[in-house]
Amino acid sequence: MDLKNDIVLSLRGKTEEDCIKKLNKKYDKNYEIMSRKAVTLSSFLGLIKTSGVELRYIEKEKPRFDFLEALNRQNEYQQRMQSPVIPQSPKQEQSANRRSENIQPQLDSLLEKVSFLEASAKQTNPSSFDIHPSIKKIQDFLEKNEFSPSYSSGITHKIRSEFSLDDLDNYAKVYERVLSWIADSILVEKPSYNTKPQIIMLVGPTGVGKTTTIAKIAAHLTVLDTSQRKRAHIITIDKVRIAAIEQIEAYGKYMDIAVTVATSNNDLRNQVDKYASSVDYIFIDTVGASPNDEKLLLNMKDIVYLRENNNFITYLTLSASTKNSDMKDIMKSYALFDYDSLIITKLDETKSVGNIISVLADTQKTLSYITTGQSVPRNIEIASVAKLVSLLEDEKQGTM
């Protein structure tokens, strides 16, 4: 059996008949179904679920088509039709008519194949042809939201792979599918604090709002959680910036949470041991460090190293306005802290979230919190896919 690269593909639809119609339209029966199974189909963001079917299939190698031969046969036929008419007997004329009737369908079929090959060439080598308007609109949408070039290229490739030329004319359908792909690429991890004491540490560059974010999380877990009163303690290792200590002490006083300063790893361990039995949460506020300052990062790691403690959770805190390449550099530099998830701050200071979604997809890291302002304890929420997608500009675009 002559199969194309032996790549197993899949297609989902409401019924098997719907899937086969799509396959026939795309491959002209040059495929072989390998398996069938019932699946659950989800609409955008999984809000509506229905039953469906998934077909796994292999594309067969298309029969070779000699374009020059087809044109030669067409030219020969036209020349014969334009040649001087020679009187024929009734029997000869009937025979000629039969041959003409047999040849014309073949020529029509050949011309149809030529048109099909031209259309296929446009899809497989789009750089040689005009970009379809729907693809161009999607590219503009991704660029406007500052998605990374690699992320945008991946979306464009998926569009060309999964949409026929006819389907591309339905921009609303293309746009909805793109939003679903974007949603699927966002990984979120809902915070879960089930141990006592839960140690929560925030690390990240200077100016991203770590201290304010710690105060917000602490307030939500203690002051605002009226179901059962929880107690917390805050330890800061930022002994250099007096203003930072005063800021976190002010927040602590407001929330009735004690704040202490640790100057070494032994000091930090002693304080954790001291307060472990009397509080539910211990927060560690760290020094802001440039991702390029390797010495400071290593020194800070030596101070805060508590990884043998199973109750330890570390969040890398990033500003939403940081460009994609800088986010990746920061994440790479802070990898030595073995952080568990991300917190994105200052979403209120940017109109574009494509950089955030791109870096989450590229690094396969999870997002746990987002903040949208300076107000404590407000302006923080648990991250969600729906929230990030809703922040995309032009989310409510119309059809073409």
Side-chain angles (χ1 to χ4, degrees):
M1 178 170 52
D2 190 12
L3 301 179
K4 186 178 181 179
N5 301 324
D6 293 334
I7 299 176
V8 179
L9 306 171
S10 64
L11 176 67
R12 291 188 172 193
K14 294 182 179 179
T15 64
E16 182 173 339
E17 182 180 358
D18 290 339
C19 292
I20 290 177
K21 285 181 180 179
K22 292 179 182 178
L23 291 174
N24 288 341
K25 183 177 182 180
K26 185 174 183 179
Y27 298 108
D28 192 26
K29 298 187 178 180
N30 291 312
Y31 64 91
E32 180 175 342
I33 296 176
M34 308 302 291
S35 64
R36 303 166 174 81
K37 70 174 182 179
V39 295
T40 299
L41 304 176
S42 298
S43 63
F44 174 53
L45 298 183
L47 298 178
I48 302 175
K49 298 183 182 296
T50 58
S51 59
V53 63
E54 178 182 271
L55 299 184
R56 294 177 65 82
Y57 64 94
I58 297 178
E59 182 183 357
K60 294 181 181 179
E61 189 72 39
K62 293 182 176 65
R64 293 185 178 274
F65 175 66
D66 193 328
F67 181 73
L68 291 178
E69 181 184 354
L71 289 180
N72 288 334
R73 292 178 64 181
Q74 182 184 19
N75 290 334
E76 290 175 3
Y77 172 75
Q78 290 176 343
Q79 289 173 3
R80 287 197 300 269
M81 296 297 292
Q82 295 171 0
S83 298
V85 179
I86 300 174
Q88 295 178 318
S89 66
K91 185 175 182 180
Q92 289 176 323
E93 186 174 350
Q94 290 178 359
S95 177
N97 289 338
R98 283 196 298 270
R99 287 196 300 271
S100 177
E101 291 173 356
N102 291 334
I103 292 174
Q104 189 59 48
Q106 296 178 27
L107 286 174
D108 292 341
S109 177
L110 289 173
L111 291 173
E112 184 178 348
K113 288 181 178 180
V114 170
S115 299
F116 173 79
L117 288 175
E118 289 178 346
S120 298
K122 288 182 180 181
Q123 285 189 318
T124 56
N125 187 21
S127 60
S128 302
F129 301 88
D130 293 335
I131 298 177
H132 191 282
S134 289
I135 295 179
K136 182 63 171 62
K137 286 188 70 175
I138 291 298
Q139 290 175 337
D140 292 342
F141 161 71
L142 295 171
E143 182 179 359
K144 184 174 184 179
N145 284 278
E146 298 186 8
F147 284 87
S148 68
S150 61
Y151 190 100
S152 299
S153 177
I155 291 292
T156 301
H157 177 74
K158 284 178 70 71
I159 293 173
R160 288 183 172 129
S161 299
E162 300 194 16
F163 282 86
S164 67
L165 289 174
D166 289 340
D167 288 339
L168 279 176
D169 291 335
N170 186 345
Y171 177 72
K173 182 177 181 181
V174 176
Y175 183 72
E176 182 180 355
R177 182 76 63 83
V178 168
L179 284 184
S180 71
W181 291 337
I182 292 173
D184 290 342
S185 73
I186 301 171
L187 303 177
V188 297
E189 183 176 356
K190 184 177 181 180
S192 178
Y193 308 127
N194 301 315
T195 58
K196 182 180 178 180
Q198 181 70 68
I199 304 172
I200 302 171
M201 181 174 74
L202 271 62
V203 297
T206 304
V208 297
K210 296 185 297 298
T211 301
T212 304
T213 303
I214 276 186
K216 292 175 182 178
I217 297 175
H220 276 266
L221 294 177
T222 58
V223 178
L224 300 182
D225 185 2
T226 58
S227 59
Q228 52 184 98
R229 184 72 164 118
K230 300 284 187 178
R231 298 199 58 81
H233 185 87
I234 298 176
I235 304 173
T236 179
I237 66 167
D238 191 353
K239 61 183 185 295
V240 177
R241 295 188 307 131
I242 302 301
I245 297 177
E246 292 176 348
Q247 181 186 27
I248 195 66
E249 285 179 340
Y251 286 137
K253 184 177 180 180
Y254 171 76
M255 297 181 289
D256 193 24
I257 297 176
V259 178
T260 54
V261 179
T263 58
S264 66
N265 184 257
N266 285 335
D267 191 8
L268 180 63
R269 289 174 181 272
N270 290 336
Q271 291 195 40
V272 168
D273 291 341
K274 178 181 178 180
Y275 297 106
S277 60
S278 59
V279 299
D280 301 284
Y281 305 102
I282 295 177
F283 295 93
I284 301 176
D285 188 21
T286 61
V287 181
S290 164
N292 301 318
D293 194 337
E294 184 178 357
K295 182 178 179 180
L296 178 56
L297 289 171
L298 290 172
N299 180 59
M300 185 164 63
K301 181 190 176 185
D302 290 339
I303 295 176
V304 302
Y305 183 75
L306 297 171
R307 265 302 179 187
E308 73 276 9
N309 192 316
N310 294 328
N311 302 351
F312 197 80
I313 292 179
T314 301
Y315 292 112
L316 175 59
T317 312
L318 299 173
S319 169
S321 58
T322 307
K323 64 183 181 181
N324 181 271
S325 59
D326 288 343
M327 278 191 177
K328 286 186 176 180
D329 288 342
I330 294 169
M331 294 171 74
K332 183 177 180 180
S333 297
Y334 276 83
L336 58 88
F337 291 96
D338 194 22
Y339 57 89
D340 299 279
S341 190
L342 298 177
I343 296 175
I344 300 295
T345 62
K346 305 185 179 183
L347 269 172
D348 57 308
E349 297 181 12
T350 182
K351 291 183 178 181
S352 302
V353 295
N355 58 327
I356 301 167
I357 297 173
S358 295
V359 81
L360 290 174
D362 291 345
T363 63
Q364 291 294 289
K365 290 294 185 179
T366 59
L367 179 63
S368 293
Y369 290 102
I370 58 175
T371 73
T372 54
Q374 293 293 317
S375 178
V376 177
R378 299 188 300 274
N379 301 144
I380 188 171
E381 58 188 275
I382 294 173
S384 70
V385 173
K387 176 66 175 182
L388 282 183
V389 173
S390 71
L391 293 174
L392 291 171
E393 281 201 90
D394 293 337
E395 186 202 357
K396 304 298 185 182
Q397 288 188 61
T399 59
M400 289 182 62

